[in-house]
Amino acid sequence: MNGERYSRQTQLKDFGPEAQAKLAAAKVLVVGAGGLGVPVLTYLNAMGVGTLGIVEEDEVSLSNLHRQVLYSADEVGHAKLDVAIKKLKAQNPDTQLIPYYEFLTLENALSIIEGYDLVIDATDNFPTRYLINDACVILKKPFVYGALHSFEGQVSVFNYKNGPTYRCLFPKMPSAKEVPNCNAHGVLGVIPGIVGNLQALEAVKVLTGIGEVLSGKLLLFNGLEQTFQKINFGANPSNLKITSLQETYGLSCSVNSDTIESKDFEKLLSIDNIQIIDVRTVGEFEEFHLKNSINLPLEDIEDWKHTLGYDQPVYVLCHSGSRSLEAQAILVAYKNESDIINVNGGIEQLKKYAVKY
Ligand SMILES: Nc1ncnc2c1ncn2[C@@H]1O[C@H](COP(=O)(O)OP(=O)(O)OP(=O)(O)O)[C@@H](O)[C@H]1O
């Protein structure tokens, strides 16, 4: 270990070389290298966490750059993981960086998470968050949670020393209407920077034992008012006893029965007459879209929902899977009995099949 590199933190009385050695021995898995993942990775790497696993399959987009400050304009279109690994290596060559060029799914979650001491959720969707929670409960790993909405953020540590889990705080996946998303609602660039850093701080506390971990406490940050608030919550014993993902999710390959993962949806693209409704904006659709898809922007869906054919499945798609959840909720409210399926991961994960006008 390079003593000088970490000297400004090891000289802290309550940190010292002992805590630094714990960081060096630690294995942390960061799921998502986007708005939250970038600050988490940058600081944990700089501070000397020995092993960092990164799960991510996305590419850098122009609209990522205002907040995902590890990426530059000339890297748009490159795999986030390639860019992140290159920059993190240059930042601290001592870290062992382990890339997973895939999204975390029901199939790979347990085998990936198994080898780590701590997981950091830096994703942007509820199915992944519940999956991380459930896999961490099964494997008895703590996980640091972070989430954003507009100018606000939340942080907590779940499953820490048998403490409350994500399901103790939020027992059920929220309804589609409640789901916020950067694409649809926007995010101020600096907010994920703040929330990601708070997550990194919690990770350091869990790994080294300093301070008081946010277990059983939800930290709420309001960027416009510059206020922090802590809410206490307790454990519900039934949430501490998940034994298998199959039991929790059934045998389906999705974490949500009305959802299909993009990679499974891929296999359906060759079906003739498949009904794919793309709810992105006209501009986004013009940039690229799936050949057989129909563009029905989210804001117009209420007016045009009667035009769809409900005698066959309706696959609803957007950029990454959140606006399509909102659209799905509107369609389900209209035609309850029909097969209305959200494509989780969206067109972002199906880009190789996309065409332009
Ligand atoms: N299941 C998953 N496994 C791994 N990474 C995931 C998973 N789900 C989402 N992610 C990643 O988490 C990151 C979340 O970042 P962020 O919320 O800033 O959104 P984004 O997808 O980068 O941008 P935008 O939503 O604006 O297009 C993304 O890079 C996304 O690919």
Side-chain angles (χ1 to χ4, degrees):
M1 198 192 344
N2 183 332
E4 193 182 344
R5 175 183 280 269
Y6 306 114
S7 58
R8 293 300 180 266
Q9 64 194 25
T10 51
Q11 73 194 49
L12 280 165
K13 187 167 67 56
D14 295 329
F15 193 82
E18 302 75 23
Q20 192 64 50
K22 287 182 186 164
L23 283 191
K27 294 180 167 187
V28 175
L29 182 73
V30 181
V31 187
L36 295 172
V38 163
V40 164
L41 287 163
T42 310
Y43 273 95
L44 293 185
N45 187 53
M47 289 177 71
V49 168
T51 303
L52 280 174
I54 316 171
V55 191
E56 179 63 84
E57 203 184 89
D58 192 14
E59 293 169 358
V60 177
S61 309
L62 194 58
S63 60
N64 292 156
L65 300 186
H66 78 120
R67 66 189 190 283
Q68 301 181 21
V69 295
L70 206 53
Y71 311 126
S72 320
D74 60 347
E75 288 153 350
V76 168
H78 294 215
K80 284 183 181 175
L81 255 188
D82 283 342
V83 181
I85 295 283
K86 190 171 119 212
K87 299 211 176 150
L88 294 171
K89 239 184 211 155
Q91 184 196 36
N92 189 348
D94 296 340
T95 313
Q96 196 195 349
L97 297 165
I98 306 179
Y100 299 89
Y101 287 85
E102 55 198 317
F103 286 104
L104 198 78
T105 63
L106 268 177
E107 284 141 6
N108 63 21
L110 291 175
S111 63
I112 293 179
I113 291 175
E114 201 173 22
Y116 292 87
D117 305 316
L118 171 71
V119 180
I120 303 192
D121 170 24
T123 67
D124 55 356
N125 60 83
F126 286 99
T128 306
R129 214 162 268 155
Y130 280 87
L131 175 63
I132 291 174
N133 176 76
D134 298 343
C136 284
V137 172
I138 291 171
L139 295 168
K140 302 198 185 321
K141 312 274 180 189
F143 91 93
V144 181
Y145 155 79
L148 301 169
H149 183 43
S150 305
F151 302 98
E152 293 166 22
Q154 328 187 321
V155 179
S156 190
V157 178
F158 297 114
N159 210 34
Y160 176 69
K161 296 189 175 166
N162 273 327
T165 75
Y166 184 59
R167 283 186 189 271
C168 298
L169 186 61
F170 302 116
K172 287 228 167 78
M173 193 116 61
S175 81
K177 281 186 193 144
E178 296 162 334
V179 174
N181 167 261
C182 293
N183 278 326
H185 300 283
V187 60
L188 194 71
V190 70
I191 302 290
I194 294 166
V195 175
N197 274 300
L198 291 170
Q199 287 182 279
L201 176 58
E202 284 312 297
V204 170
K205 284 157 61 184
V206 169
L207 297 171
T208 62
I210 64 161
E212 197 189 320
V213 171
L214 278 174
S215 169
K217 294 184 170 67
L218 180 69
L219 182 72
L220 302 173
F221 167 66
N222 182 322
L224 290 182
E225 293 169 8
Q226 291 282 30
T227 53
F228 287 96
Q229 195 190 346
K230 261 192 240 173
I231 295 173
N232 293 323
F233 60 95
N236 173 347
S238 66
N239 292 324
L240 310 177
K241 279 193 243 134
I242 301 171
T243 49
S244 98
L245 290 179
Q246 263 80 12
E247 228 172 70
T248 312
Y249 297 98
L251 288 172
S252 87
C253 48
S254 169
V255 291
N256 176 340
S257 59
D258 296 330
T259 297
I260 184 163
E261 297 299 323
S262 310
K263 90 178 153 30
D264 298 308
F265 184 62
E266 244 175 70
K267 297 167 201 153
L268 308 181
L269 287 176
S270 55
I271 298 176
D272 283 343
N273 301 327
I274 183 168
Q275 187 172 215
I276 308 169
I277 308 303
D278 186 329
V279 300
R280 294 175 303 149
T281 62
V282 174
E284 285 175 286
F285 188 81
E286 278 173 2
E287 227 177 279
F288 59 88
H289 56 266
L290 296 177
K291 207 167 70 192
N292 301 331
S293 61
I294 300 163
N295 186 211
L296 190 46
L298 180 60
E299 63 267 26
D300 297 334
I301 206 141
E302 197 65 60
D303 296 337
W304 290 90
K305 61 191 181 199
H306 62 280
T307 60
L308 304 179
Y310 294 97
D311 49 349
Q312 66 175 108
V314 182
Y315 292 96
V316 193
L317 178 87
C318 68
H319 181 75
S320 57
S322 293
R323 274 175 291 176
S324 54
L325 262 179
E326 290 186 43
Q328 182 190 34
I330 294 169
L331 298 179
V332 167
Y334 177 63
K335 283 275 175 193
N336 196 13
E337 316 269 284
S338 306
D339 241 353
I340 297 161
I341 302 149
N342 176 45
V343 181
N344 189 42
I347 196 161
E348 190 171 49
Q349 292 172 42
L350 295 164
K351 273 190 187 147
K352 61 181 167 207
Y353 301 101
V355 294
K356 291 179 194 260
Y357 271 134

